[in-house]
Amino acid sequence: MLAAEALRNNEGQWKAYESKGNCVILAGPGSGKTKTLTIKMARMLAEDVRPPRGIACITYNNQCARELRRRLGALGVEDGRRAAIGTLHSFCLQHVVLPYARLAEMAIPDPLSVATTDERDKCWAAAVEAVLGANENPRDWMFRCDVYRRTHLDRGKPEWRGDYEDAAKVIEAYEKALLGGGLVDFDTMVLLGLQLVEQHEWVREALRARFPVIVVDEYQDLGCALHRIVLCLCFQAKIRLVAVGDPDQSIYGFAGAEPALLRNLAKQDGIEPVQLQMNYRCGPTIIRASEVALGEPRGFESGNDEAGTLDIHHCPQGVEDQASFICDMIIPAALKRRKGRQKGDIAILYRSQYDGNEIARAVERRGWDFIRIDQGNPYPRSPVVFWLEDCAAWCAGGWQSGVPRLSELVWSWLRFNELVTDDAGRRQLQRGLVKFLYSHRTADQGLRDWLSEFQVACLDASLEREPRLRDDNEAVVKLAEICAADARLAGFTVSTFGGQGGSGTHLNLMTLHSAKGLEFDVVVMMALEEGKVPDYRSNTDAKLREDRRLFYVGLTRARHEVHLVYSGWYANAYGRRFNNGPSRFVTEVRNAIVAPPNQAG
């Protein structure tokens, strides 16, 4: 394979590519892990897995799955044929629960419907009131119980109730309310999948017959349930495992992620560990700063021809001052420093959506286009909405460039329509989609009209028919409503909407968590106040280490420039001011890199 030649000069990448058995790839930032993983998958499909068998690829979220599909598509591997790419909950639902749960006589709803956000909220509220009374805030308990459900997986053991009895009782009431309504949620899918895999040898054998290889991307983020599923399939069912991840980029402890799981997996007998040490993204200055922030040396080598720069900026008048300084000073100067650099090469990162609101207002006042990825995003993003963005990108010019490919859009569309199984029905779905896309090859049509016509032509019938797309149906309805009512989307065209998946002209605004897996020429990290980064609630060693990893992730998104921006104080929602100074991570980096602060105010 010609693509494999690009790996030959990197010892770690080539070792991973050549591995024949179970392999764990420990991949630092910018190490080319996605390239290595996708080329490795293409080789296994060509040489090791005979049709009609395939490979299951599990990753953290829908954005990761989207990127893997794009990379594999460029190698001629199309999702849905022999590569099943998706999140852990979609793997459990589609490939474990739906085929085998009723055969195992599990009590699950028939038909199986995935609860919408509103339905989940109502079930939580009912559960909290039933167990604890009407004075408790359901949202507070949702957060506590989400973590508990993902880390306490065995309901029959004493610690299920012994560690936190109220949480266990609320969860039991919540799950009873869901099942009573004929519903499941995402965590239930994973728990059911885990039970089937662990308790039934015939389920493991059936999975091995279909998927002799399982690939797991971003392993450090996927938590205890995935780890137990992997151990069971790998060491009991003898399914070959290829896992990729980086414990230093484990930043989802609130969702049950445990970085130690990946380290322990790599030490298991029968597992070949491979370390990727070369960082092709960051220059030596940025690598050094990131290791200072992490608090531990890693010995990464830079494959970037430039040293990179790191600047620290003090904006004493607060977060609004920071936003203005970023827009008026940092961004214009960064655009001038490199010929051809665009706003899409720059990312503004922050901890909370409230700081995102401040920078978004500043960017809007200057009339700049931007992409925003956080809870303040103007419209909900779901698998179908991501797919709609890709459809818009195709209509806006992708049909000429081949990115995205029409075949990928069609395969995704057929995969959404699971209940249509006959050949005639699937051909009709395909013809309807292709007809719509070809008749809407324009960049300038308003998003509102394009979406409305899409709903009539294809979307509404499918979304209303498919019980597992109920959340997506809700997201598309909200997107249509926002197009009509929200000034932020009123001016969106097909081209603008298609650019939300990544565009050279759109400035990137996102939380530090959302930035993981991405890279940019220039990274600006703002609102770096002690009490925000690290969070004032990070009062244990484990939480503080995770905040260090989060800061580390932000630094290592940058190819050429990092800008750290702080005021030294912040105010909470009630107006109380906290004069805590800059983040301790900023101070540590400043002292180690010897970069004097730039006074902005």
Side-chain angles (χ1 to χ4, degrees):
M1 180 185 289
L2 291 176
E5 291 302 311
L7 308 180
R8 189 179 291 273
N9 292 328
N10 182 301
E11 181 180 354
Q13 291 179 350
W14 189 253
K15 184 178 179 182
Y17 177 72
E18 288 282 275
S19 67
K20 301 298 183 185
N22 299 319
C23 180
V24 170
I25 304 169
L26 300 166
S31 60
K33 65 98 174 172
T34 304
K35 178 176 72 172
T36 305
L37 178 64
T38 51
I39 294 173
K40 175 73 173 174
M41 282 184 64
R43 180 180 189 176
M44 291 189 295
L45 284 168
E47 299 178 5
D48 303 333
V49 181
R50 298 181 63 181
R53 305 172 87 191
I55 292 176
C57 181
I58 300 170
T59 192
Y60 179 69
N61 60 25
N62 289 303
Q63 284 180 292
C64 295
R66 183 189 199 187
E67 177 63 14
L68 285 172
R69 291 188 190 106
R70 186 185 69 79
R71 297 277 194 105
L72 285 166
L75 296 171
V77 177
E78 291 188 345
D79 180 34
R81 298 197 181 213
R82 294 178 58 217
I85 305 166
T87 60
L88 175 60
H89 70 259
S90 69
F91 170 79
C92 288
L93 179 66
Q94 185 173 354
H95 301 297
V96 185
V97 176
L98 289 177
Y100 308 126
R102 291 190 180 89
L103 293 175
E105 299 183 343
M106 273 189 164
I108 63 171
D110 187 13
L112 188 67
S113 292
V114 178
T116 65
T117 302
D118 288 343
E119 288 167 339
R120 294 194 294 271
D121 288 348
K122 289 176 182 176
C123 288
W124 276 119
V128 171
E129 183 172 357
V131 174
L132 302 169
N135 293 327
E136 292 288 333
N137 186 337
R139 290 209 166 272
D140 291 343
W141 281 91
M142 284 170 62
F143 179 78
R144 298 173 203 168
C145 292
D146 277 348
V147 177
Y148 200 81
R149 290 177 83 197
R150 293 164 188 167
T151 53
H152 291 69
L153 305 176
D154 299 303
R155 304 300 174 79
K157 291 188 175 180
E159 57 265 28
W160 166 244
R161 282 206 172 182
D163 285 355
Y164 197 164
E165 186 175 5
D166 284 347
K169 288 180 177 179
V170 169
I171 292 166
E172 290 167 0
Y174 165 72
E175 291 175 345
K176 182 179 179 181
L178 276 178
L179 291 174
L183 304 169
V184 295
D185 68 358
F186 297 126
D187 286 323
T188 303
M189 296 175 202
V190 176
L191 288 171
L192 292 173
L194 174 63
Q195 292 172 26
L196 285 164
V197 166
E198 287 191 332
Q199 296 174 10
H200 300 281
E201 181 181 0
W202 62 269
V203 172
R204 299 193 293 270
E205 292 297 319
L207 286 169
R208 185 177 67 175
R210 184 170 184 189
F211 301 119
V213 179
I214 287 186
V215 171
V216 184
D217 185 31
E218 304 291 358
Y219 194 99
Q220 75 282 349
D221 293 330
L222 288 160
C224 300
L226 179 275
H227 187 64
R228 282 174 49 172
I229 288 171
V230 163
L231 293 180
C232 198
L233 294 179
C234 179
F235 294 105
Q236 294 187 44
K238 306 302 181 185
I239 293 176
R240 182 179 171 187
L241 170 69
V242 177
V244 182
D246 180 5
D248 291 335
Q249 296 187 71
S250 180
I251 56 175
Y252 297 105
F254 59 84
E258 294 186 22
L261 297 177
L262 179 58
R263 295 191 184 98
N264 294 339
L265 180 67
K267 296 174 184 177
Q268 295 266 0
D269 291 339
I271 298 283
E272 179 183 13
V274 176
Q275 183 82 49
L276 301 187
Q277 287 290 111
M278 184 68 75
N279 184 332
Y280 293 99
R281 179 188 303 150
C282 307
T285 298
I286 297 172
I287 291 176
R288 185 179 169 211
S290 69
E291 291 189 339
V292 169
L294 191 62
E296 300 178 47
R298 288 290 182 258
F300 291 122
E301 301 175 34
S302 176
N304 194 323
D305 293 334
E306 299 182 24
T309 62
L310 185 144
D311 292 299
I312 301 175
H313 309 274
H314 180 208
C315 300
Q317 302 306 312
V319 68
E320 184 176 355
D321 186 22
Q322 294 180 40
S324 295
F325 182 75
I326 290 167
C327 291
D328 296 337
M329 302 298 294
I330 295 178
I331 291 174
L335 292 172
K336 291 177 181 177
R337 267 191 291 272
R338 184 174 293 266
K339 185 177 181 181
R341 181 177 282 167
Q342 301 182 79
K343 292 187 181 72
D345 298 315
I346 301 173
I348 316 299
L349 311 183
Y350 39 85
R351 182 69 179 263
S352 77
Q353 73 174 78
Y354 304 105
D355 296 318
N357 292 339
E358 199 65 62
I359 187 65
R361 284 192 288 268
V363 170
E364 283 180 330
R365 285 195 295 268
R366 287 152 181 84
W368 296 346
D369 291 329
F370 65 95
I371 299 165
R372 185 172 179 186
I373 306 176
D374 62 29
Q375 294 300 312
N377 195 62
Y379 60 86
R381 305 182 101 194
S382 72
V384 169
V385 173
F386 282 131
W387 176 77
L388 285 171
E389 291 175 354
D390 289 340
C391 288
W394 190 89
C395 290
W399 61 276
Q400 292 174 306
S401 66
V403 181
R405 296 193 304 166
L406 181 61
S407 60
E408 294 175 11
L409 300 177
V410 171
W411 270 106
S412 294
W413 178 235
L414 295 176
R415 194 169 55 250
F416 289 138
N417 287 272
E418 293 177 344
L419 293 185
V420 180
T421 57
D422 62 290
D423 290 341
R426 292 175 76 78
R427 284 195 297 270
Q428 184 176 352
L429 286 170
Q430 182 172 335
R431 283 196 298 269
L433 174 64
V434 172
K435 180 180 178 181
F436 174 83
L437 293 178
Y438 265 91
S439 64
H440 289 77
R441 289 176 292 170
T442 175
D444 298 329
Q445 183 179 14
L447 173 60
R448 177 181 178 181
D449 293 340
W450 180 84
L451 181 61
S452 176
E453 291 163 18
F454 209 160
Q455 287 178 285
V456 171
C458 301
L459 281 175
D460 283 350
S462 293
L463 293 176
E464 290 169 7
R465 178 182 59 242
E466 298 288 335
R468 282 174 293 283
L469 295 182
R470 297 173 75 243
D471 245 353
D472 289 275
N473 188 22
E474 191 176 80
V476 171
V477 169
K478 287 181 179 177
L479 173 60
E481 291 172 352
I482 293 168
C483 284
D486 194 314
R488 289 177 291 178
L489 269 70
F492 265 38
T493 63
V494 173
S495 178
T496 308
F497 184 60
Q500 295 301 298
S503 169
T505 60
H506 290 61
L507 188 67
N508 300 281
L509 313 181
M510 61 190 68
T511 60
L512 287 158
H513 285 93
S514 300
K516 195 167 79 69
L518 304 177
E519 61 180 58
F520 306 93
D521 266 16
V522 180
V523 165
V524 183
M525 297 167 64
M526 65 176 292
L528 297 177
E529 327 302 339
E530 185 73 16
K532 287 188 174 183
V533 183
D535 189 272
Y536 69 93
R537 293 163 293 191
S538 296
N539 51 11
T540 65
D541 287 344
K543 290 180 178 179
L544 185 58
R545 284 197 299 271
E546 181 162 313
D547 274 0
R548 283 194 177 279
R549 294 194 295 269
L550 184 63
F551 189 70
Y552 171 82
V553 164
L555 288 173
T556 54
R557 300 311 92 200
R559 286 187 286 262
H560 305 303
E561 300 181 25
V562 172
H563 298 267
L564 307 180
V565 186
Y566 73 96
S567 297
W569 65 273
Y570 67 95
N572 65 14
Y574 304 101
R576 182 183 174 189
R577 179 168 167 150
F578 296 86
N579 298 298
N580 297 338
S583 164
R584 71 187 72 177
F585 306 150
V586 172
T587 302
E588 291 166 1
V589 167
R590 174 193 292 158
N591 292 340
I593 307 302
V594 196
N598 294 322
Q599 295 292 329

